[in-house]
Amino acid sequence: QLQASGGGLVQAGGSLRLSCAASGRSSSIYGMAWFRQAPGKEREFVSAISWGGRNTYYGDSAKGRFTISRENDKNAMYLQMNSLKPEDTAVYFCAVTVSTSTLLSSRARSTPRSYDYWGQGTQVTVSS
């Protein structure tokens, strides 16, 4: 089970930190990721991280502004979002993959159906 939190309303240029807590059988998890979905748009890859936290990946919209991290002893993942823009407004979802190959492929890790479990989403709204 995944629980995402930390969303809210922020002005452009501000920051937010999203959290995702994983419960249950975490030993089978190989990677975690953040996606986002704005109204009327497809779900978009934001960032991913290997379960051990050694490898991180970012979508174009996140590079240079967002930082993904893990906290192993809490089975948690975070997304620090800085310099937020109105176009970052979306529902942010966390997801996990139990496949050893998902994160190894740029195409696979950016594809929502590559992930096995999803959290409920947390709304991020950036005002101009």
Side-chain angles (χ1 to χ4, degrees):
Q1 187 175 7
L2 299 174
Q3 182 73 34
S5 61
L9 173 64
V10 64
Q11 288 188 331
S15 299
L16 280 175
R17 187 187 191 219
L18 305 183
S19 300
C20 178
S23 60
R25 192 173 67 181
S26 61
S27 60
S28 60
I29 297 175
Y30 280 89
M32 301 181 75
W34 289 100
F35 283 77
R36 67 186 186 185
Q37 189 165 20
K41 295 189 177 182
E42 293 186 351
R43 195 162 293 192
E44 176 191 17
F45 172 73
V46 177
S47 185
I49 188 168
S50 57
W51 184 242
R54 180 175 299 180
N55 300 308
T56 59
Y57 310 91
Y58 294 93
D60 290 341
S61 62
K63 289 177 181 176
R65 298 187 301 127
F66 297 178
T67 302
I68 193 170
S69 61
R70 283 267 297 114
E71 192 168 9
N72 289 343
D73 59 347
K74 294 184 179 180
N75 286 345
M77 172 180 66
Y78 307 98
L79 186 69
Q80 177 66 42
M81 304 188 296
N82 299 327
S83 302
L84 284 162
K85 306 174 183 179
E87 50 264 45
D88 294 317
T89 295
V91 177
Y92 284 69
F93 298 89
C94 57
V96 302
T97 176
V98 299
S99 169
T100 57
S101 62
T102 297
L103 297 191
L104 299 178
S105 161
S106 174
R107 186 170 187 174
R109 63 179 175 257
S110 63
T111 301
R113 64 186 178 194
S114 297
Y115 294 82
D116 303 285
Y117 302 98
W118 291 81
Q120 85 288 0
T122 184
Q123 176 71 46
V124 171
T125 303
V126 184
S127 63
S128 58

